[in-house]
Amino acid sequence: MRKYLRTLALLFTVPAMAQTPTAQLELEKKFDGLIDAKHIGENIRLLSAKPHAIGSAQGKLVAEQILAQFKSYGWDAKIETYHVLFPTPKERVLELTGPVKYKAVLREPVLKEDGTSGQDGQLPTYNAWSADGDVEAELVYVNFGLPADYEQLEKLGVDVKGKIVIARYGRSWRGIKPKIAQEHGAIGCIIYADPKEDGYYQGEVYPKGPYKNEFGVQRGSVMDIVKYPGDPLTPGTASTENAQRLDRLNAPNLLKIPVLPISAHDAKPLLAALEGAVPPPDWRGAFPFTYHVGPGKTKVHLKVAFNWDIKPAYNVIATLKGSQYPDQWVIRGNHHDAWVNGAADPISGLASLLEEAKAIGELAKSGHQFKRTLVYCAWDGEEPGLLGSTEWVEDHQAELQQKTVAYINTDGNGRGFLEAGGSHALEGLVGDIAKHVQDPQTKVSVWERSKAQLVANAASVKTKKELLARESVKLGALGSGSDYSTFLQHAGIPVLNLAFGGEDEAGEYHSIYDSYDMFVRFKDPGFAYGVTLSQVAGRSAIRLADADLLPFDFRKLHKTINGYVGELQAVLETERENTQVENQLVGSNVYRLAADPKEKVALPVAKDEVPYLDFSPLQNALNGLDKAAARIADTVAKQGGSPVLNKALYQAEQQLLTQQGLPRRDWYKHTIYAPGFYTGYGVKTLPGIREAIEQRNWKEAQEQIGIVSAAVNKLTSYLNQIL
Amino acid sequence: MRKYLRTLALLFTVPAMAQTPTAQLELEKKFDGLIDAKHIGENIRLLSAKPHAIGSAQGKLVAEQILAQFKSYGWDAKIETYHVLFPTPKERVLELTGPVKYKAVLREPVLKEDGTSGQDGQLPTYNAWSADGDVEAELVYVNFGLPADYEQLEKLGVDVKGKIVIARYGRSWRGIKPKIAQEHGAIGCIIYADPKEDGYYQGEVYPKGPYKNEFGVQRGSVMDIVKYPGDPLTPGTASTENAQRLDRLNAPNLLKIPVLPISAHDAKPLLAALEGAVPPPDWRGAFPFTYHVGPGKTKVHLKVAFNWDIKPAYNVIATLKGSQYPDQWVIRGNHHDAWVNGAADPISGLASLLEEAKAIGELAKSGHQFKRTLVYCAWDGEEPGLLGSTEWVEDHQAELQQKTVAYINTDGNGRGFLEAGGSHALEGLVGDIAKHVQDPQTKVSVWERSKAQLVANAASVKTKKELLARESVKLGALGSGSDYSTFLQHAGIPVLNLAFGGEDEAGEYHSIYDSYDMFVRFKDPGFAYGVTLSQVAGRSAIRLADADLLPFDFRKLHKTINGYVGELQAVLETERENTQVENQLVGSNVYRLAADPKEKVALPVAKDEVPYLDFSPLQNALNGLDKAAARIADTVAKQGGSPVLNKALYQAEQQLLTQQGLPRRDWYKHTIYAPGFYTGYGVKTLPGIREAIEQRNWKEAQEQIGIVSAAVNKLTSYLNQIL
């Protein structure tokens, strides 16, 4: 379910680590020679040939095809099966019952230009983990359905309690929208694609162009994965056949209200019928009428019911045992399940992964002995909530924490620029690789091209200048939305998440039009970036597999965390000044006098003042980490690696976990990275502190400074002990 | 034709001048008592009862009604007639000829909710001063038709030479759009109202709400008034009956290409038919399809022909002779001609003016003797290009420069906040009045309310804080778009331009729906702000008429000009840094590498570097002005006024004129204020310098610094001589 929000990484540089050895570069050249665009394309066509969601017969067939391919490449491969809850629709009804009648189509039409669009076996348009429900109520438009949107509704005097809300896709992960709606007392939630964000406003629509046509619908999970992902019935443990399961109705990350995603075509009559206040400009989409928020005479009837079945999730796990350090594992993964055909999501990433496996198999056959064990995985059930990967990590957690050097994730691919996120101690590795891999369109390195794009699109000349001075890739921080999540945020295993994109903008996401026909026209024609992704992700895997000294550099991590702390201090300072000035304006009646007396809009009220927080424990902790990281870097530069040292290095990130977990979501253990509680996929760095500040919970913010400081100190002590 | 762009005034304060005398305040209280909302409303109904454009029988009748009113209020009134060119349509055809056919409606429908919308005598929808023309060509969409839009088209490889362009209303004065189109070789220009700026995107459309419905059309002049306004055949001289006239085809401010304004309804099929590149997001309006720029198969046929008649322009001039200084004139004006019924534009302002005249007449009858002569004017022919006022000022220029204390303009009115612009030496006068007049909705002073609105809507907390510290009204600088222009920019006479607005947003402007029915529902229900405008503008007039010491404060002028110089230095500095960084990016191939190779978009090229300019002559000149202004203020505070001193004060602004005029438009003589050569109504302060910088003409910018410095020095010497 790739489509995470990109994070602007920060602007630091530290000296590069040791040069990549010549033998390694030669191996990588051979590796490149074994990557074949045509074969990647054939695999995309093969694996996206039919709808293959988790639990479907075709899904099983796809897992078996992948298994066979791994085996044919010389890998030791097997399927590990978990038994997970997965709802599919039994009934879906949405109708406008007043003042005019309209019955929603809830169906994407077959297109003659899209050969697979008329196939049997497609999952209907729905949001997995909606509750069963049959409700009829007045409709309220809630914009993107974010907390700030409900604040705006309150200003307009609109309460969604007992109402059905309609929110547009965008600005947050979709699951956040019904969650916040439910928190505000709504009894149902409709999510639609406004043509402003995802349709004709953006460009030509499918099949003429790549953007979403009026009937396109984004399926997707609305599980509250920011509490925990995986099977909702087995948080923290594996969904084995006989595992103890929660009662579904008590699962803390499942909604109590019905939710349904709909097309622009179906949303249009609903929104057109609304009356009530006209919301501010940033609430207005691209439909040709005046947007209103309701409520009023406009009533809708929403009825959804699901088959709540336990389904097998088939993770395909392929292993190539290491010659020197078989108990040090480099894991690489991409999911194989799709909402429908999934040519882009996930198959384009999976085809690159399989191509790497093929090349690695060839290298092994031709005599190269990889030092560490390579584990290549194709996950099932990612779409409904990272089911396959989460259950697998939860199942093998202790062993994985012992053995995993790093987990390298992909989740689809397209034409454009390198997008890389992950554990910042691995930033140097990705930076070096990005300088060695060529962009297929411009023939400069993918680093140079992605830097050019950052610079060219920066909002200010000041930022352009700063970015131009950047010397290497800055990794984005990772939130959630793909299979790296459990490795990183629950188990503290270093991860990377890699993709190309930015020149593949389209509207096929999670629709029946995410097809091979769409892919070859608009996403990665010729599969050139399929090759490039294999080159980057494959290099990451084989360098880690063969490195004498694992390329973890904690100076990069220190610089990054230090940057986050600076950000938070600035946020707090700004919020303090804003609060002070706004309270002054409230006190001096400015908003009352400026308001239009004919419009009933609630006025801003005074807020509690922002206290000064004590960041010194964290600043001192980071000072310690700085020294420890520098000492490690100096020492290993002189001494080189050793099996014990390497193990200590890759396990270091686990020190940043806090056993108590994040507030109100203890499955999430990482103190540096988490998805946002009210934003979803998008990352919140230093989440405990940052979200407390955002929620104006100053006490918790101070406590969390202590918790993060302790974690950083733990890492520092650990680093000081390993050498 | 009010609808000028507001300018954010600057943030300075200087000590207030002397207190307003008690007797004056008592007079103003009496004056207030004579202002009657009901009567204002009756006048709006009466004078907007039928379409009354210049040259129409009804126009003449309206002038006569105004004349009669002035006389009945005890004024000495007459009509001064000029003979001006005024084109009216003979033929208007717009059709899409390929690939599909569409014939434009070009007509606003009668609405049962709008009692005057079906009257005879309406001018059809057209742009006055379009050339006659019959052209057929491919269509190109040019966004707002600004210079930057043509730069974007060039990037997309689109040339408008020999094409017909379609531009949307907004972001510039309308006349700029065909002017720039013509400069780029277009052979025709269509201007339409996109629902994004002026229609359903903004809110409910008429008659349900106030915004423009799909058939509404904005008429208006496309004379190049930034070269010179008034009768295009008599630049700089009066259009008397036997005046020498230019050949129309040689008039330098008239277009050579045909232009036609159309409704959203008529624009929709044209834009929908376009193909070619999809332009960037800020080119996309609110039609429900993907916007394209063309050109291609989409061809249009545009045919317009006009009656190029000389028409009488009836200026109604009412005089109440001053008892002490009959040769010192306070002039107050608002135009009476309208594109159609013009309830808001201009009648709402005119009704306030007449109410002031009525009250002043009553005060005179009851024994009050105004010291100076009051001249109340109702101008004809403002809509096509400030014809009436310009010809009058050009006719009487020498006398007016001798006698005019100030010209106080209005041009329509609505509910909301005080909007005041003008000569900055009068800033203190307006500031004091704004503190004495009550806002009818909130009962605080209009100053307090307008300040609250500025503060509440400021973009940043920093700006809010600064604005909150503001102690009095800051006058906006004036560009063009109403009858103050010739007084100020050609003759150097101090002016004020006053209105209320901001809570009267609507789409009636220059359409048949600018009616009494619309006005009483959406613009100023109950005419409360009609009263308030009378109170502010009337006070301005009678204070200036009775002041022993005229309230000119050149310290305010100095501070303001000083602020403009700071702005220009900052602009230059920013442009220097931007140019340097952008050239570096061009040189290092950043834009080429970042560009999508599949899209043919021209890349940025290096620009000439920005030199350092010598601002010191201007800084020294301002330093001199600062001292002279302070000395004057000190001295008059001690000595009080005298007829000679007062005359010297009100004539001072003429020192800021430069006899050679602005580059390429020598009719404009003022060195501090002018409308923008490429923006229209919107002001450019220090226009000679600012526009040279904007055009990257560094040599001219330096020359203009010299010219402005000389003007400021001239003012300083003048001020040093009068005391």
Side-chain angles (χ1 to χ4, degrees), chain A residues 344-518:
Chain A
D345 176 10
I347 298 304
S348 60
L350 185 63
S352 290
L353 179 150
L354 288 169
E355 199 64 14
E356 294 158 46
K358 189 192 79 178
I360 289 167
E362 293 286 335
L363 291 174
K365 275 181 215 160
S366 69
H368 182 81
Q369 296 197 314
F370 290 97
K371 291 175 187 153
R372 295 185 180 81
T373 295
L374 284 152
V375 184
Y376 265 55
C377 313
W379 310 114
D380 202 354
E382 190 265 5
E383 291 297 1
L386 322 179
L387 306 185
S389 62
T390 298
E391 298 312 319
W392 191 76
V393 175
E394 287 176 349
D395 200 13
H396 303 288
Q397 182 166 345
E399 187 179 14
L400 290 171
Q401 286 178 321
Q402 276 298 311
K403 297 182 177 171
T404 312
V405 173
Y407 170 67
I408 302 156
N409 189 67
T410 56
D411 188 354
N413 195 47
R415 189 168 69 94
F417 308 91
L418 176 63
E419 298 167 358
S423 298
H424 285 87
L426 289 175
E427 193 167 77
L429 171 70
V430 178
D432 193 56
I433 290 171
K435 288 175 186 167
H436 281 91
V437 174
Q438 197 183 62
D439 174 69
Q441 295 183 115
T442 59
K443 313 300 176 195
V444 299
S445 72
V446 298
W447 151 243
E448 212 174 321
R449 186 155 201 249
S450 73
K451 173 175 163 171
Q453 187 236 12
L454 283 176
V455 174
N457 296 313
S460 74
V461 163
K462 185 168 170 285
T463 312
K464 285 183 176 182
K465 208 170 160 180
E466 286 167 358
L467 289 168
L468 194 63
R470 203 180 258 191
E471 288 177 2
S472 187
V473 166
K474 298 292 147 191
L475 289 180
L478 292 178
S480 184
S482 194
D483 294 303
Y484 56 77
S485 178
T486 307
F487 288 92
L488 176 67
Q489 287 144 350
H490 189 63
I493 291 167
V495 307
L496 291 176
N497 188 53
L498 302 168
F500 285 83
E503 294 176 321
D504 62 343
E505 298 303 328
E508 87 295 343
Y509 183 61
H510 291 188
S511 77
I512 63 168
Y513 309 121
D514 183 358
S515 62
Y516 183 80
D517 288 339
M518 146 70 81

Side-chain angles (χ1 to χ4, degrees), chain A residues 90-148:
Chain A
K90 233 167 26 185
E91 194 174 4
R92 298 169 309 134
V93 175
L94 175 67
E95 47 195 2
L96 186 59
T97 56
V100 288
K101 305 266 183 207
Y102 173 76
K103 193 166 159 66
V105 177
L106 307 180
R107 193 176 177 80
E108 297 161 307
V110 180
L111 296 174
K112 67 177 190 314
E113 297 85 349
D114 191 306
T116 56
S117 62
Q119 290 177 331
D120 288 339
Q122 295 168 348
L123 280 174
T125 55
Y126 80 116
N127 285 133
W129 315 109
S130 158
D132 290 334
D134 184 356
V135 291
E136 181 167 2
E138 290 171 17
L139 187 67
V140 175
Y141 173 56
V142 297
N143 197 20
F144 295 103
L146 308 180

